[in-house]
Amino acid sequence: MDMALKVKVGGMEDVELSEPVSPTGQYFNSSVLCVSVIGVLEFDNPIDDSSSIALINDVFLPINTRFSSIMVEDKDGEKHWKRVEVKGEDHIVVPRFPEGLSPESYDQYFNDYLSKIAMDSLPQTRPLWEIHIVKYPTSNASGSLVFKLHHALGDGFSLMGALLSCLQRADNPSLPLTFPSFQKAPKPDNEIKSLISIVPHAFSSALNTVLDFGWSILKSSFLEDSRTPIRSGEEGVEFRPINIMTMTFSLDKIKQIKSILQVTINDVVTGMIFLGTRLYMEATSEEARNARSTALVLLNTRSIGGYKSVDEMVQNQEAQIQWGNKFGFLHVSIPELHQYERSLDPLKFVHEARDIIKRKRNSSAVYLTGKLLEFVRRYRGPEATAEYIHSTLKNSSMTVSNMIGPLEKMTLANQPVKGLYFMVVNIPQSLTVTMMSYMDQLRVAVGTEKDLIDPVKFKNCTEQAFSMMFNVAVKSK
């Protein structure tokens, strides 16, 4: 339920503030952190933007009041969302590139443009989002729609749910989009817990909690990863230009590996990313191939099993409660690259990544980290908490995040959507990897610090890792 109050802001007359900014929202819009999410929709055909203002007013803005609010401070220094009048045209940007170039030439213009808007700050004087309509064809699409939304508005789950609520099924707009079910990997009979195993399981969970929470504090405080081909370790990485490139993998092949290994899809793709990262580090510097490197694997902490429709987001109180930034992260050491991974059994990377993440899930470290952040906020303020989160990101090497997309082809205002992906920007890391499924494909987006990481080489190493894993898995059947 929104909280409304009257306060005096900046010497102005009393204004109505709709709701307080959540603690996490304050962390992500502070003097230390200013994090945004970029979402890209790719279209089969040239974009017709004639209905863009109507879509903003009738569909996008009603999803959540934060899309029509700005962040302000009251006299006590507390931040609130203040409702303002939104002019859609102020939030739409249509870039101009040279005319008559080939799609391959426009690839570079588009990538440079993404890098530019990733570095540009969203004006604090208007709601924290923008839409960029790129009408030039690239190798991937006839036109692209780029959403930039401040992370203070919500996390990737909330923001992607908002974007998906603006879309319809191509085959039947009257039907809702559907998403893959959340299914855990099947357990062999000998792994089914019995009453006898409860005590050792509880002891293991407690031990893991102590170890993981302690290591998390060390990593966030002063224990930095090594400087490697994927981590410059420099100050101000979040303000440097980035490259954003994508690659596509067959979900059918990923499911084949999943079934053969009796693991989850997340286990397969995480193992692929970790193996590809180590292969890149080896190809760039033999000495650094097994240097200390940690990934932050983001977890959705909601109790719901899928996105909410636009009607549910607007009308359903539970959906509104689930809106916002509700995630945790696991510190996961990237498995080391040994000779057997490269030439004999790359699937060991999947198993090792799965075992590490499974062990860390079998603890309450994420919960305790959330309590720690709340403690720091209460006694030292949101800026100090933002500094702690900044240090957590800076001291690690990469962030890995994934979301589930719809099974059916989508349209926006009757325009078919060919693909979609997202990227988190303005974070103090040299490497960010995000993944999103759509129809029968998995789209992997990689954000890399310019002049440090070669995006083409990284892509080749990741594709090589997947090819190695698939070939070995199929042969092992």
Side-chain angles (χ1 to χ4, degrees):
M1 181 180 295
D2 285 353
M3 243 172 51
L5 66 160
K6 298 278 189 177
V7 296
K8 197 166 187 177
V9 180
M12 299 167 53
E13 293 299 321
D14 288 355
V15 296
E16 184 175 287
L17 307 179
S18 58
E19 63 173 321
V21 179
S22 68
T24 309
Q26 295 185 54
Y27 308 152
F28 283 140
N29 192 24
S30 64
S31 63
V32 184
L33 284 173
C34 194
V35 183
S36 295
V37 178
I38 289 178
V40 180
L41 292 179
E42 299 171 333
F43 293 90
D44 285 317
N45 305 316
I47 294 179
D48 175 9
D49 60 347
S50 59
S51 60
S52 56
I53 299 297
L55 282 172
I56 289 173
N57 293 332
D58 300 337
V59 180
F60 184 71
L61 293 181
I63 292 173
N64 194 280
T65 57
R66 295 182 192 179
F67 292 136
S68 53
S69 302
I70 61 173
M71 193 181 293
V72 297
E73 285 190 10
D74 62 22
K75 62 182 180 181
D76 298 320
E78 296 294 327
K79 292 186 177 181
H80 295 264
W81 293 108
K82 172 192 170 185
R83 294 291 297 274
V84 296
E85 181 182 354
V86 179
K87 296 181 179 180
E89 56 270 19
D90 292 342
H91 294 261
I92 295 177
V93 182
V94 183
R96 298 291 182 185
F97 300 160
E99 299 292 338
L101 302 181
S102 66
E104 291 74 21
S105 298
Y106 282 126
D107 285 344
Q108 189 60 51
Y109 279 96
F110 183 69
N111 291 338
D112 290 344
Y113 188 74
L114 286 183
S115 180
K116 174 184 178 300
I117 64 175
M119 291 188 296
D120 290 344
S121 298
L122 289 164
Q124 297 286 323
T125 55
R126 66 188 187 210
L128 298 171
W129 56 271
E130 290 178 344
I131 298 174
H132 301 256
I133 304 174
V134 182
K135 298 183 177 182
Y136 301 92
T138 63
S139 298
N140 293 321
S142 295
S144 302
L145 204 61
V146 182
F147 290 79
K148 183 176 182 181
L149 306 108
H150 202 290
H151 218 313
L153 298 171
D155 56 16
F157 184 94
S158 293
L159 300 179
M160 192 57 67
L163 297 185
L164 293 174
S165 293
C166 301
L167 301 159
Q168 296 177 311
R169 283 179 59 155
D171 59 345
N172 189 339
S174 64
L175 295 177
L177 293 166
T178 60
F179 300 86
S181 60
F182 290 76
Q183 293 183 347
K184 296 183 179 180
K187 292 184 178 181
D189 291 341
N190 60 1
E191 287 189 15
I192 297 178
K193 294 176 185 175
S194 64
L195 290 176
I196 300 176
S197 70
I198 291 178
V199 173
H201 177 77
F203 177 78
S204 173
S205 178
L207 180 61
N208 289 338
T209 296
V210 173
L211 294 175
D212 292 342
F213 183 57
W215 193 52
S216 175
I217 293 176
L218 290 176
K219 290 295 299 177
S220 298
S221 302
F222 57 84
L223 188 59
E224 291 190 35
D225 279 359
S226 304
R227 295 196 178 200
T228 66
I230 64 167
R231 180 179 182 271
S232 68
E234 299 291 340
E235 295 291 336
V237 169
E238 61 268 39
F239 305 115
R240 297 187 177 190
I242 65 172
N243 286 302
I244 299 177
M245 64 86 180
T246 67
M247 56 192 108
T248 304
F249 299 94
S250 165
L251 271 179
D252 287 339
K253 288 186 176 181
I254 293 174
K255 290 175 182 177
Q256 281 185 259
I257 301 174
K258 164 189 173 292
S259 298
I260 293 170
L261 300 185
Q262 294 292 288
V263 295
T264 67
I265 288 179
N266 280 346
D267 294 333
V268 175
V269 297
T270 303
M272 173 188 72
I273 295 301
F274 285 172
L275 177 56
T277 300
R278 284 298 189 189
L279 290 175
Y280 174 82
M281 294 171 69
E282 180 186 50
T284 306
S285 172
E286 176 71 26
E287 295 76 18
R289 70 173 187 159
N290 284 327
R292 184 176 62 207
S293 301
T294 307
L296 293 179
V297 179
L298 299 189
L299 302 175
N300 176 19
T301 60
R302 291 168 174 80
S303 59
I304 55 179
Y307 300 111
K308 298 296 182 182
S309 71
V310 61
D311 290 335
E312 289 173 309
M313 285 188 172
V314 174
Q315 300 172 10
N316 187 292
Q317 184 176 0
E318 172 64 18
Q320 291 283 15
I321 292 173
Q322 296 292 351
W323 183 275
N325 286 285
K326 300 180 183 298
F327 65 90
F329 53 79
L330 299 177
H331 282 93
V332 179
S333 294
I334 302 177
E336 294 185 358
L337 182 68
H338 300 292
Q339 185 65 28
Y340 59 73
E341 271 93 22
R342 290 194 293 119
S343 59
L344 296 177
D345 192 2
L347 299 181
K348 288 185 179 292
F349 244 75
V350 176
H351 291 298
E352 191 167 350
R354 172 182 177 270
D355 291 344
I356 293 172
I357 294 174
K358 182 179 179 182
R359 183 185 66 78
K360 287 181 175 291
R361 282 181 176 273
N362 183 30
S363 79
S364 300
V366 171
Y367 171 79
L368 291 179
T369 298
K371 289 297 183 183
L372 174 63
L373 293 178
E374 176 60 23
F375 177 85
V376 174
R377 183 192 69 83
R378 182 171 298 178
Y379 293 101
R380 296 187 58 197
E383 288 289 329
T385 315
E387 289 179 2
Y388 186 88
I389 296 173
H390 183 279
S391 179
T392 299
L393 291 163
K394 181 180 178 296
N395 290 353
S396 57
S397 295
M398 64 187 295
T399 293
V400 180
S401 177
N402 70 82
M403 287 190 289
I404 295 175
L407 295 169
E408 302 87 11
K409 192 175 184 67
M410 304 180 297
T411 63
L412 177 65
N414 297 318
Q415 300 178 78
V417 176
K418 183 179 181 182
L420 73 162
Y421 59 93
F422 72 101
M423 177 55 56
V424 182
V425 297
N426 309 122
I427 59 175
Q429 289 181 321
S430 302
L431 176 62
T432 304
V433 179
T434 63
M435 295 163 278
M436 187 163 190
S437 62
Y438 178 43
M439 296 192 292
D440 58 351
Q441 296 181 329
L442 178 75
R443 192 72 173 274
V444 177
V446 183
T448 58
E449 180 184 342
K450 277 189 176 180
D451 301 323
L452 174 71
I453 300 175
D454 182 339
V456 175
K457 182 189 289 187
F458 190 92
K459 177 179 180 178
N460 291 339
C461 289
T462 306
E463 291 174 340
Q464 178 190 356
F466 180 70
S467 178
M468 292 165 61
M469 289 165 49
F470 180 76
N471 291 336
V472 173
V474 171
K475 289 179 181 178
S476 68
K477 289 180 63 176

